[in-house]
């Protein structure tokens, strides 16, 4: 494991002693990178991303038959379909849109803080969050880097998990001492192009940048950059840093295990069954096998190879015994394939803790209990994801609060805020609205929060208050002073009929 104190000392000497050649201590960075590059953990991350994109193992499958010597041999004259039915990507999209299909809600008593959070965590941030959850599902962990753009606004940048080597301070992987990031960059030398690995090291001082070229670590064009650079009116620059490293992990689970590890064998099974079925359907000449009496051959291996490759073998008459030709019909039973595929698909839904939108419980007019039962597995998994993401949001809000204080928006360090994940679950709206309307002993805010048509409770309360104010203003415009018209007066405010007594009935 990397000695972080020694590591920081190396970074300082590397930078400020202006060495361009590799130092002896830099070998530890290269060792960390090489160990992570070939680790099982990183391989799982890459497999998760690859399977999400539809690049499955079935695409590289070869068609093989039993050869003359009983060994498998590759053949190229048989159908070799590579069918991908990407149920894994469907499960990832289900979870992503179930938890983050609706915008996040930040609930706080401080109105100024609430408005500032809405401006910061806008729809662009929501897009980044959905992509971050996708990374967490595919790779087990995703990373969010907090910086500033050229206009001095907070900028949230997603970094792939397979590019980051975290240097954890604790065994629970909750606090960072630093991190190493490496990623390939295409460089052009005239018309030629080649790939070099960029290396970035994050610690409490800022970001150190290197290039890993031919096994050597050399400083990049911009070798060091602080996290924050303030440009004053006179043109001078001031370098500042966060107290904490602005790199926040967002985990799928506490063990950082990708979703693909739970379902890869099942996904491969679906692809294999469908590809085999397509192969069998295309092997028209193999559906009828010729059985020839008096086999013209010496080895059983030749017979098996010819049978598998050509669907026929040669025979001849021997000792006066005439040859004969019989046929053996082979039928492809589609129901067998269909049954196996259905079993695999149900298994992948259960193991991925998703839901089946075609579930029998959704037939007819399902009540809310049936709907919740169908969503029970994905809801349990979403609870674990939300727990991890809530902890990450605590770290994220620390940086956001510091930014608000530094730019003069306000000091909200001690303000309480609740991050609400509005899960996108199918609802029986009529049943829920009826229950909300019957709950008259609850506050208006609580009822609105549980109403399926209300996304922003605060905004809805404002609209209700405005409607009541408009009604009151209209009433006051008709009845100045707030008193109803005297008996006999019309709603337009006409004077009473003088021929009618004050106490007479109309």
């Amino acid at each position: 494991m990397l000695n972080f104190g020694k590591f920081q000392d190396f970074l300082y000497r590397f930078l400020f002693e202006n060495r361009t050649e590799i130092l002896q201590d830099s070998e530890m960075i290269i060792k960390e990178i090489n160990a992570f590059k070939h680790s099982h953990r990183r391989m799982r991350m890459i497999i998760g991303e690859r399977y999400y994109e539809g690049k499955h193992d079935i695409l590289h499958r070869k068609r093989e038959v039993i050869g003359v010597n009983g060994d498998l041999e590759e053949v190229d004259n048989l159908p070799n379909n590579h069918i991908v039915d990407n149920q894994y990507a469907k499960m990832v999209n289900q979870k992503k849109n179930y938890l983050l299909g609706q915008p996040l809600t930040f609930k706080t008593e401080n109105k100024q803080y609430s408005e500032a959070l809405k401006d910061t965590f806008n729809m662009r941030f929501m897009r980044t969050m959905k992509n971050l959850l996708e990374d967490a599902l595919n790779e087990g962990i995703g990373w969010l880097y907090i910086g500033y753009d050229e206009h001095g606004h907070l900028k949230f940048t997603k970094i792939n998990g397979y590019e980051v080597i975290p240097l954890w301070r604790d065994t629970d992987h909750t606090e960072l001492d630093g991190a190493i990031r490496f990623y390939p960059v295409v460089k052009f030398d005239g018309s030629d192009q080649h790939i070099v690995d960029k290396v970035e090291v994050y610690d409490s001082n800022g970001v150190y940048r290197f290039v890993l070229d031919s096994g050597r670590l050399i400083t990049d064009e911009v070798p060091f950059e602080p996290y924050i650079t303030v440009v004053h009116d006179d043109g001078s620059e001031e370098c500042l840093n966060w107290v904490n490293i602005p790199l926040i992990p967002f985990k799928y689970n506490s063990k950082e295990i990708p979703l693909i590890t739970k379902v890869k064998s099942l996904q491969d099974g679906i692809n294999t069954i469908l590809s085999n079925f397509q192969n069998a359907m295309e092997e028209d000449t193999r559906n009828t096998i010729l059985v020839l009496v008096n086999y013209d051959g010496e080895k059983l291996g030749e017979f098996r190879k010819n049978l598998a490759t050509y669907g026929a073998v040669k025979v001849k008459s021997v000792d006066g015994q005439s040859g004969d030709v019989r046929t053996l019909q082979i039928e492809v039973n589609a129901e067998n394939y269909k049954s196996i595929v259905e079993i695999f698909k149900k298994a992948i839904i259960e193991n991925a803790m998703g839901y089946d939108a075609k579930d029998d419980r959704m037939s007819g007019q399902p009540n809310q209990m049936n709907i919740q039962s169908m969503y029970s597995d994905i809801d349990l998994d979403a609870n674990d994801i939300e727990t991890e993401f809530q902890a990450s949001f605590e770290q994220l809000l620390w940086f956001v609060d510091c930014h608000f204080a530094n730019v003069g928006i306000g000091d909200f360090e001690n303000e309480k805020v609740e991050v609400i994940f509005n899960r996108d679950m199918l609802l029986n709206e009529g049943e829920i609205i009826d229950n909300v309307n019957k709950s008259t002993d609850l506050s208006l805010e609580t009822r609105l929060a549980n109403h399926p048509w209300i996304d922003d409770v605060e905004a809805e309360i404002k609209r209700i208050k405005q409607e009541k104010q408009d009604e009151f203003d209209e009433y006051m415009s008709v009845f100045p002073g707030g008193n109803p018209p005297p008996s006999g007066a019309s709603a337009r405010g006409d004077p009473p009929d003088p021929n009618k007594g004050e106490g007479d009935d109309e």
Side-chain angles (χ1 to χ4, degrees), residues 103-110 113-115 117-122 125-126 129 390 393 396-397 416-422 458:
L104 296 169
T105 302
F106 297 87
K107 186 177 180 181
T108 177
E109 298 295 329
N110 190 312
Y113 190 27
S114 178
E115 291 300 321
L117 289 174
K118 284 182 181 178
D119 292 339
T120 301
F121 298 125
N122 50 26
F125 174 80
M126 279 304 305
M129 280 303 302
Q390 289 282 9
F393 260 102
L396 175 58
L397 286 169
K416 293 183 179 180
V417 58
E418 181 182 359
V419 183
I420 300 174
F421 289 77
N422 299 300
E458 255 183 59

Side-chain angles (χ1 to χ4, degrees), residues 449-500:
N450 289 277
H451 199 291
W453 295 352
I454 307 301
D455 292 326
D456 192 331
V457 176
E458 255 183 59
E460 187 63 24
I461 290 176
K462 287 181 181 178
R463 284 192 287 266
I464 292 173
K465 288 181 178 179
Q466 187 60 47
E467 284 184 0
K468 290 183 178 179
Q469 184 64 42
D470 292 343
E471 290 176 0
F472 178 76
D473 293 343
E474 183 180 357
Y475 178 83
M476 293 300 293
S477 67
V478 176
F479 307 122
N483 296 319
S487 178
S490 68
R492 297 190 304 272
D494 297 333
D497 188 346
N499 298 322
K500 222 171 185 172

Side-chain angles (χ1 to χ4, degrees), residues 287-348:
N287 293 339
T288 301
I289 294 180
L290 299 177
V291 180
L292 307 178
V293 180
N294 293 330
Y295 168 60
D296 184 17
E298 297 179 357
K299 297 181 179 179
L300 182 60
E302 291 179 1
F303 172 80
R304 296 184 66 176
K305 181 178 180 181
N306 292 336
L307 185 64
T309 305
Y310 303 107
V313 291
K314 295 193 304 179
V315 299
K316 64 181 179 179
S317 298
V318 178
D319 298 331
Q321 182 67 35
S322 300
D324 191 12
V325 178
R326 303 188 188 96
T327 61
L328 175 63
Q329 296 294 330
I330 299 178
E331 296 182 2
V332 178
N333 192 336
E335 288 300 318
N336 290 342
Y337 287 92
K338 182 179 178 181
S339 299
I340 296 173
V341 168
E342 287 180 356
I343 291 172
F344 272 125
K345 286 188 176 182
K346 286 183 178 180
I348 205 171

Side-chain angles (χ1 to χ4, degrees), residues 378-405:
I378 194 171
D379 210 40
L380 287 173
D381 205 29
N383 289 339
D384 289 339
I385 300 174
E386 186 174 331
T387 298
E388 295 295 334
F389 274 46
Q390 289 282 9
S392 298
F393 260 102
E394 283 188 4
Q395 300 179 48
L396 175 58
L397 286 169
W398 181 89
F399 291 97
V400 173
D401 291 346
C402 288
H403 168 72
F404 289 161

Side-chain angles (χ1 to χ4, degrees), residues 99-328:
L99 194 60
L100 292 175
Q102 300 294 330
L104 296 169
T105 302
F106 297 87
K107 186 177 180 181
T108 177
E109 298 295 329
N110 190 312
K111 303 299 181 183
Q112 183 185 3
Y113 190 27
S114 178
E115 291 300 321
L117 289 174
K118 284 182 181 178
D119 292 339
T120 301
F121 298 125
N122 50 26
M123 293 309 296
R124 182 181 298 180
F125 174 80
M126 279 304 305
R127 180 180 62 187
T128 302
M129 280 303 302
K130 287 189 74 173
N131 294 335
L132 198 58
L133 177 55
E134 181 183 302
D135 281 0
L137 291 166
N138 288 330
E139 304 170 22
I141 187 171
W143 295 91
L144 186 69
Y145 176 72
I146 304 168
Y148 284 92
D149 61 17
E150 61 273 14
H151 303 295
H153 300 144
L154 273 181
K155 183 180 180 181
F156 304 101
T157 306
K158 179 186 74 68
I159 300 178
N160 294 321
Y162 55 80
E163 295 178 354
V164 178
I165 307 173
L167 308 174
W168 298 107
R169 183 177 300 170
D170 59 339
T171 55
D172 291 334
H173 292 187
T174 59
E175 298 181 12
L176 283 176
D177 258 337
I180 302 172
R181 181 192 178 197
F182 67 96
Y183 54 98
V185 174
V186 178
K187 287 219 168 187
F188 290 89
D189 185 8
S191 59
D192 298 331
Q193 65 179 28
H194 63 283
I195 298 177
V196 297
D197 282 332
K198 292 275 190 174
V199 178
E200 296 176 351
V201 180
Y202 301 80
D203 75 351
S204 57
N205 298 313
V207 183
Y208 303 83
R209 291 189 170 89
F210 307 94
V211 175
L212 184 60
D213 193 7
S214 302
R216 298 188 311 126
L217 196 66
I218 59 177
T219 53
D220 203 352
E221 296 174 357
V222 181
F224 175 78
E225 187 177 10
Y227 293 121
I228 305 171
T229 302
V230 179
V231 181
H232 297 287
D233 295 336
D234 59 0
S236 62
E237 294 184 353
E238 182 182 4
C239 298
L240 302 174
N241 279 317
W242 302 102
V243 175
N244 299 321
I245 297 174
L247 197 61
I248 301 176
F250 283 79
K251 303 178 183 180
Y252 170 39
N253 50 58
S254 61
K255 301 295 184 183
E256 303 165 24
I257 299 174
L259 179 63
I260 189 64
T261 59
K262 301 179 181 179
V263 297
K264 182 179 182 298
S265 59
L266 297 170
Q267 177 63 70
D268 289 339
I270 292 174
N271 295 340
T272 301
I273 292 298
L274 292 176
S275 298
N276 287 347
F277 178 70
Q278 183 70 9
N279 289 343
M281 294 298 294
E282 291 181 2
E283 290 181 23
D284 295 333
T285 57
R286 306 309 188 276
N287 293 339
T288 301
I289 294 180
L290 299 177
V291 180
L292 307 178
V293 180
N294 293 330
Y295 168 60
D296 184 17
E298 297 179 357
K299 297 181 179 179
L300 182 60
E302 291 179 1
F303 172 80
R304 296 184 66 176
K305 181 178 180 181
N306 292 336
L307 185 64
T309 305
Y310 303 107
V313 291
K314 295 193 304 179
V315 299
K316 64 181 179 179
S317 298
V318 178
D319 298 331
Q321 182 67 35
S322 300
D324 191 12
V325 178
R326 303 188 188 96
T327 61
L328 175 63

